[in-house]
Amino acid sequence: MKNIMKLGFLGAALFSLAACSGGNESGGSAGSSSAAESSSATDTSNAQPSAAPKTELSDKFGKSLVVYFSQPETDDPDNMSTEEDNSAIVVDGEVLGNVQYVGMNIQENVGADIFRIEPEEPYTTDHDELVDIASAEQEENARPALAATVENLDQYDTIFLGYPNWWGDMPMVLYTFLDEHDLSGKTIIPFNVHGGSGFSSTISTIADEEPDATVVEDGYSVSRNNVEDSVTEVVDWLNNLPATSN
């Protein structure tokens, strides 16, 4: 089981280190292993983005927002099945989804606001049912309704957009988010968690969905097996990205 110390190690401590087949978030193929991550989080209210204090990287990215979708297959930190363990990280006894964990790391280091994408009808945490739902939504080109949208989007310069790789694509709820939010003129920086397929073609898909935004091709992609070790890697990645603020 992936147990980690409290998230307080993510922010200031890391600045001392910084001068700098379709997969899914929790496992290999969405049809054969875990289908990915949704619930328990420090930012679960989702009505308005929550904020982190300004950091050394804040000026580099301007006013930034971390937007992510994450679907852990359990909220119980004990006695996890293989699929549940694949989809989540346990931090100080709290279950966080893989993408959620990476997104919160980015938030702390950049001093960004953060917003969790959640469908109006929550996804099941049953692995087999979730696999079937993810496949059916993709086949139908579905647009699941959102529980909430981002208000005052105009204030943001940079959007860090995070998601699992489901069946070699973004979950369809990401398409709903992009349909309902105009990101024209903004810089979009993708990040994802996968079970072997990396980004697949999702970065170019985001560029197609948001043609008037600047989509950074050098996104951050991490295997579900390495999420717990991604903290310093994320810091290095953030420091090596070009500045997006004017």
Side-chain angles (χ1 to χ4, degrees):
M1 182 182 297
K2 296 175 284 189
N3 282 281
I4 303 180
M5 296 171 60
K6 191 68 178 176
L7 274 176
F9 72 92
L10 290 179
L14 287 180
F15 278 110
S16 64
L17 301 174
C20 53
S21 110
N24 57 56
E25 165 179 18
S26 52
S29 129
S32 62
S33 57
S34 187
E37 299 171 61
S38 166
S39 37
S40 63
T42 57
D43 57 311
T44 48
S45 66
N46 205 24
Q48 292 290 334
S50 59
K54 190 172 181 179
T55 72
E56 295 175 21
L57 288 174
S58 297
D59 291 339
K60 179 175 182 177
F61 299 106
K63 178 70 172 173
S64 57
L65 174 66
V66 176
V67 176
Y68 74 93
F69 169 74
S70 196
Q71 180 67 29
E73 294 183 8
T74 183
D75 59 5
D76 183 357
D78 301 315
N79 302 314
M80 288 187 181
S81 68
T82 299
E83 289 83 4
E84 291 169 345
D85 189 37
N86 283 341
S87 71
I89 299 276
V90 178
V91 180
D92 197 31
E94 180 180 15
V95 177
L96 304 179
N98 288 334
V99 175
Q100 178 183 8
Y101 179 76
V102 176
M104 293 172 74
N105 184 6
I106 294 170
Q107 179 200 20
E108 281 203 46
N109 281 283
V110 173
D113 294 350
I114 193 166
F115 179 86
R116 183 175 189 157
I117 298 171
E118 295 186 85
E120 188 173 75
E121 181 177 345
Y123 287 112
T124 178
T125 56
D126 180 272
H127 171 67
D128 293 333
E129 290 181 19
L130 186 56
V131 167
D132 292 341
I133 290 169
S135 177
E137 285 186 347
Q138 189 176 108
E139 289 177 3
E140 297 164 5
N141 197 28
R143 295 293 188 271
L146 300 179
T149 56
V150 178
E151 298 180 8
N152 302 318
L153 193 59
D154 289 347
Q155 67 181 300
Y156 298 107
D157 305 301
T158 302
I159 307 294
F160 291 89
L161 185 64
Y163 49 90
N165 186 326
W166 280 6
W167 292 104
D169 202 350
M170 297 183 294
M172 300 313 292
V173 72
L174 264 290
Y175 286 86
T176 308
F177 177 85
L178 294 174
D179 284 351
E180 297 187 6
H181 296 80
D182 183 5
L183 304 184
S184 298
K186 303 185 187 304
T187 298
I188 302 173
I189 305 178
F191 64 96
N192 90 335
V193 176
H194 63 88
S197 296
F199 277 116
S200 298
S201 60
T202 57
I203 292 181
S204 60
T205 298
I206 294 168
D208 290 341
E209 293 290 315
E210 295 288 344
D212 296 320
T214 299
V215 180
V216 174
E217 294 185 1
D218 184 21
Y220 178 73
S221 185
V222 60
S223 166
R224 60 97 187 271
N225 298 318
N226 299 323
V227 170
E228 68 271 29
D229 300 320
S230 66
V231 175
T232 57
E233 194 173 75
V234 167
V235 175
D236 290 341
W237 168 68
L238 290 169
N239 278 280
N240 287 322
L241 284 173
T244 62
S245 60
N246 295 324

